[in-house]
């Protein structure tokens, strides 16, 4: 809704609802597709943000990854790491239509205990968790096909579980 209001569509739609004239209804019909498109874009962006879990400490890791009902792909990254800046958005894009897998992002600079626990030696390091256990991993920047294979593997096992 904020996105629509920012674009100035919401005030025009509200005016259409309150004014009963045929010209208002006509302009409302013209604006409605724009509003629908803006709403869809906003919801898609919101869903992507909800999928990305930012882990700040070991307690959050336990709550959001280890105790998760969904499989979770954990991305150990650093702000100074250029491959990390490519990998995280790519994983979010590939997970965009998947409601059954979450992405957790862990900054290695502020979570040294998790780095030590999972023996992260280089970034980006990606670990796939299911039921609190690491089931797959890769290190470094990989191509989209490798990420898709990991996602598909997690989806298949999730469907078998159900």
């Amino acid at each position: 809704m904020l996105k629509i209001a920012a674009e100035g569509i919401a005030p025009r739609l509200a005016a259409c609802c309150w004014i009963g004239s045929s010209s208002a209804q006509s302009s409302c019909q013209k604006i409605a597709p724009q509003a629908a498109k803006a709403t869809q874009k906003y919801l898609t962006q919101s869903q992507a943000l909800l999928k990305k879990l930012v882990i700040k400490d070991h307690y959050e890791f336990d709550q959001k990854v280890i105790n998760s009902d969904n499989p979770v792909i954990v991305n150990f990254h650093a702000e100074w790491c250029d491959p990390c800046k490519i990998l995280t958005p790519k994983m979010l894009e590939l997970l965009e239509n998947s409601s059954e897998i979450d992405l957790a992002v862990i900054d290695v600079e502020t979570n040294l205990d998790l780095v030590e626990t999972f023996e992260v030696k280089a970034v980006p390091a990606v670990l796939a968790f299911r039921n609190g256990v690491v089931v797959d991993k890769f290190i470094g920047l990989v191509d989209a096909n490798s990420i898709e294979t990991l996602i598909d593997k997690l989806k298949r096992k999730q469907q078998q579980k159900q």
Side-chain angles (χ1 to χ4, degrees), residues 132-159:
V133 178
V134 177
V135 295
D136 206 345
K137 65 180 177 179
F138 64 83
I139 297 170
L141 185 59
V142 298
D143 62 7
N145 290 337
S146 298
I147 300 168
E148 288 172 339
T149 301
L150 175 66
I151 292 168
D152 289 342
K153 185 188 300 185
L154 288 172
K155 282 183 181 178
R156 278 195 306 273
K157 294 214 175 175
Q158 184 71 4
Q159 290 168 349

Side-chain angles (χ1 to χ4, degrees), residues 8-123:
I9 294 171
R12 287 185 259 164
L13 281 176
C16 292
C17 295
W18 294 107
I19 301 170
S21 72
S22 62
S23 64
Q25 289 175 350
S26 175
S27 66
C28 194
Q29 288 172 347
K30 292 177 187 173
I31 295 170
Q34 295 172 351
K37 185 176 178 181
T39 302
Q40 182 61 38
K41 181 178 177 184
Y42 177 73
L43 290 175
T44 300
Q45 291 170 344
S46 298
Q47 287 171 340
L49 291 175
L50 290 175
K51 289 191 146 318
K52 182 179 171 186
L53 310 170
V54 177
I55 306 296
K56 294 185 172 110
D57 57 33
H58 210 293
Y59 176 78
E60 273 190 354
F61 181 83
D62 288 344
Q63 295 302 308
K64 295 179 179 178
V65 177
I66 300 298
N67 296 329
S68 177
D69 292 334
N70 289 341
V72 182
I73 297 175
V74 177
N75 177 17
F76 286 90
H77 83 118
E79 292 299 320
W80 45 262
C81 168
D82 288 335
C84 299
K85 293 175 185 175
I86 297 168
L87 184 64
T88 302
K90 188 59 166 173
M91 287 196 300
L92 276 170
E93 177 187 324
L94 293 172
L95 286 168
E96 186 174 68
N97 297 321
S98 172
S99 61
E100 64 264 12
I101 301 174
D102 295 323
L103 174 66
V105 178
I106 300 175
D107 187 335
V108 296
E109 298 287 328
T110 58
N111 292 286
L112 295 176
D113 58 334
L114 291 171
V115 169
E116 289 177 17
T117 300
F118 294 102
E119 299 177 357
V120 175
K121 305 290 185 209
V123 289

